[in-house]
């Protein structure tokens, strides 16, 4: 039995799938009999648009790197199904913490070169894992700019510089008895039970992750055993980390 076509809009009594894309800063609609049909029409249009931009003279984009970055984040990255929600949050965080408001962010696209990108990377006070994650964001951004005709390739010639890794503490850091006493005394001094008292005791004596404790239900404690079946992460209840489902 054939699967029904997926549509999301009706025009003159006919069902269509509407796909919205931002091209050259302008939002365009592409209609198809199905989602795949609309996506194919978008791809055909985009390929022709790129060919036309290469063969016909056009005005260089005078917007800044920051202006186009924020369009990419809002219109493409945050609505993409390619990345997990946590990945999108991490990429946006890297841009906002290390790029937004810097001298590089204020450059016009007509002035950006691989040499300037390399200079910016070299000057960043960031860990090795941080620069690698930022570069993944920049890779997607650069590809998006190229496909939309905003710029050429300003990233392929750039090398990820070596950064010092943040020093890690040796072993596991635990609360001292004196610190635990301060916590318990504060809880016991309350006129009524603190709303998070059970959570604090659960974390202390079970060793579960904070996300796992937040996702726990009273029914997860059965026959004196705590069952870790889920975690609360980025506003959603999910399976615990791979291999972490346990009791």
């Amino acid at each position: 039995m054939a699967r029904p076509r997926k549509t999301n809009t009706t025009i003159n009594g006919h069902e269509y799938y509407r796909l919205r894309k931002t091209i050259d800063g302008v939002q365009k609609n592409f209609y198809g009999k199905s989602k795949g049909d609309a996506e194919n029409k978008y791809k055909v249009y985009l390929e022709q648009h790129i060919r036309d931009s290469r063969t016909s003279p056009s005005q260089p984009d005078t917007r800044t790197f920051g202006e186009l970055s924020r369009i990419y984040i809002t219109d493409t990255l945050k609505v993409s199904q390619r990345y997990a929600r946590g990945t999108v949050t991490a990429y946006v965080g890297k841009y906002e913490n290390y790029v937004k408001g810097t001298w590089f962010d204020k450059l016009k696209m007509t002035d950006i070169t691989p040499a300037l990108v390399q200079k910016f990377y070299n000057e960043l006070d960031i860990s090795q894992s941080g620069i690698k994650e930022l570069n993944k964001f920049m890779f997607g951004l650069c590809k998006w700019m190229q496909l939309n005709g905003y710029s050429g390739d300003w990233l392929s010639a750039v090398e990820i510089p070596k950064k010092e890794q943040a020093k890690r503490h040796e072993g596991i850091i635990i609360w001292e008895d004196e610190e635990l006493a301060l916590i318990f005394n504060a809880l016991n001094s309350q006129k009524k039970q603190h709303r998070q008292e059970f959570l604090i005791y659960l974390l202390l004596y079970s060793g579960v992750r904070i996300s796992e404790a937040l996702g726990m239900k009273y029914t997860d404690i059965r026959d004196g055993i705590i069952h870790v079946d889920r975690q609360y992460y980025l506003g959603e209840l999910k399976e615990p980390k791979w291999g972490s489902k346990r009791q």
Side-chain angles (χ1 to χ4, degrees):
M1 183 175 179
R3 295 173 61 184
R5 292 182 290 110
K6 185 177 181 180
T7 58
N8 59 10
T9 189
T10 302
I11 301 177
N12 297 329
H14 297 285
E15 297 291 327
Y16 294 96
Y17 186 91
R18 180 177 62 189
L19 182 68
R20 289 181 173 176
K21 292 289 184 179
T22 301
I23 301 175
D24 291 343
V26 179
Q27 191 174 79
K28 295 184 68 68
N29 294 322
F30 298 88
Y31 296 91
K33 296 180 179 179
S34 64
K35 182 179 179 181
D37 186 30
E39 288 176 340
N40 287 333
K41 290 183 177 180
Y42 164 65
K43 290 178 182 178
V44 170
Y45 176 89
L46 187 59
E47 289 173 357
Q48 184 61 50
H49 179 73
I50 293 174
R51 285 195 294 268
D52 291 343
S53 65
R54 289 171 178 170
T55 57
S56 59
S58 59
Q59 292 295 325
D61 201 303
T62 57
R63 282 174 289 187
T64 65
F65 181 87
E67 288 173 325
L68 287 177
S69 295
R70 288 184 279 280
I71 292 174
Y72 166 70
I73 289 172
T74 302
D75 294 350
T76 301
L77 184 59
K78 286 187 175 180
V79 300
S80 174
Q81 297 183 16
R82 181 181 304 175
Y83 304 109
R85 185 177 176 184
T87 301
V88 172
T89 301
Y91 285 178
V92 174
K94 285 296 182 291
Y95 167 76
E96 292 183 343
N97 291 328
Y98 294 101
V99 184
K100 188 175 180 180
T102 63
W103 63 267
F104 184 82
D105 198 46
K106 299 173 184 178
L107 288 176
K108 291 185 178 181
M109 291 309 304
T110 51
D111 297 330
I112 290 180
T113 63
L116 283 176
V117 180
Q118 188 70 67
K119 181 177 184 293
F120 176 67
Y121 272 19
N122 294 346
E123 293 176 350
L124 274 179
D125 183 12
I126 189 173
S127 67
Q128 192 67 40
S129 58
I131 189 72
K132 288 181 178 179
E133 193 165 52
L134 175 61
N135 191 66
K136 291 178 181 178
F137 164 79
M138 298 285 264
F139 177 82
L141 174 61
C142 182
K143 185 176 180 181
W144 174 81
M145 286 186 177
Q146 287 180 276
L147 289 175
N148 284 284
Y150 299 143
S151 73
D153 183 1
W154 41 263
L155 191 64
S156 292
V158 176
E159 295 290 336
I160 298 178
K162 185 176 181 180
K163 301 286 185 177
E164 286 190 14
Q165 289 283 23
K167 293 183 180 179
R168 297 187 178 184
H169 296 283
E170 293 294 333
I172 299 175
I173 299 176
I174 61 174
W175 284 331
E176 300 292 339
D177 291 339
E178 295 80 7
E179 295 171 317
L180 292 175
L182 287 174
I183 295 174
F184 294 144
N185 290 336
L187 291 174
N188 294 330
S189 65
Q190 301 288 324
K191 292 183 179 180
K192 60 180 181 178
Q193 187 179 33
H194 193 280
R195 63 189 299 268
Q196 294 180 346
E197 182 173 348
F198 175 72
L199 178 64
I200 294 171
Y201 278 102
L202 178 65
L203 290 168
L204 177 62
Y205 289 110
S206 70
V208 298
R209 298 180 176 92
I210 294 177
S211 60
E212 294 170 345
L214 292 175
M216 201 167 289
K217 302 179 180 179
Y218 286 109
T219 54
D220 293 331
I221 304 176
R222 302 186 292 274
D223 300 323
I225 299 175
I226 297 175
H227 297 258
V228 182
D229 296 329
R230 72 192 69 79
Q231 65 171 328
Y232 183 78
Y233 181 67
L234 293 176
E236 297 178 1
L237 287 173
K238 299 182 178 182
E239 287 278 315
K241 285 189 174 183
W242 186 85
S244 295
K245 197 169 185 177
R246 63 199 185 280
Q247 62 184 38

